[in-house]
Amino acid sequence: MITTVLFDLYGTLIELNHNSRPYHTLVKRLSTLNTHGILRQSLVNNCSSIAEFSSLIGLPVQKDIATLEAELMRDIDSVILFEDSLPTLVKLKQKRIKIGLISNLAGPYRRPVKNLGLEEYFDVIVFSC
């Protein structure tokens, strides 16, 4: 008997209709650095913005950081639920199955969970950031 179901977030329950990849854009500009390592840092630090992340890891201030922040917000605002996401979560809750959400993402990408009212469906939520 199934007692627990775990979900990833992006590509499983929700999708980005617009994905400008602003963290990748930021890191690409710093080609002399370990870009993979820097991107990994964006997933494990709880930063609410690209500017905060840049400051945390000591990156030089980018002159167009506001553009990257706007792209990030555009990405987040483009998030939609897959058609079967809510019915699936509701059915699992009705069957009293424990539901968990675990996702590897940068801090700002958590917002759709709250914005779309998904928090109430999960018994546990864990984000890498």
Side-chain angles (χ1 to χ4, degrees), residues 23 26 30 37-62 65 69 106-108 128-129:
Y23 285 88
L26 173 73
L30 308 166
I38 293 172
L39 283 174
R40 187 172 338 135
Q41 287 300 311
S42 74
L43 301 176
V44 298
N45 285 289
N46 188 17
C47 296
S48 62
S49 67
I50 293 175
E52 183 181 347
F53 171 68
S54 294
S55 176
L56 174 82
I57 62 171
L59 294 178
V61 175
Q62 300 289 308
I65 199 85
E69 297 286 7
S128 61
C129 59

Side-chain angles (χ1 to χ4, degrees), residues 2-7 89 92-101 121-124:
I2 296 173
T3 60
T4 306
V5 175
L6 297 175
F7 289 94
L89 294 172
L92 291 170
K93 272 293 197 205
Q94 288 171 343
K95 292 184 175 199
R96 299 184 191 271
I97 293 173
K98 298 288 184 192
I99 308 170
L101 177 64
Y121 295 98
F122 295 98
D123 298 290
V124 175

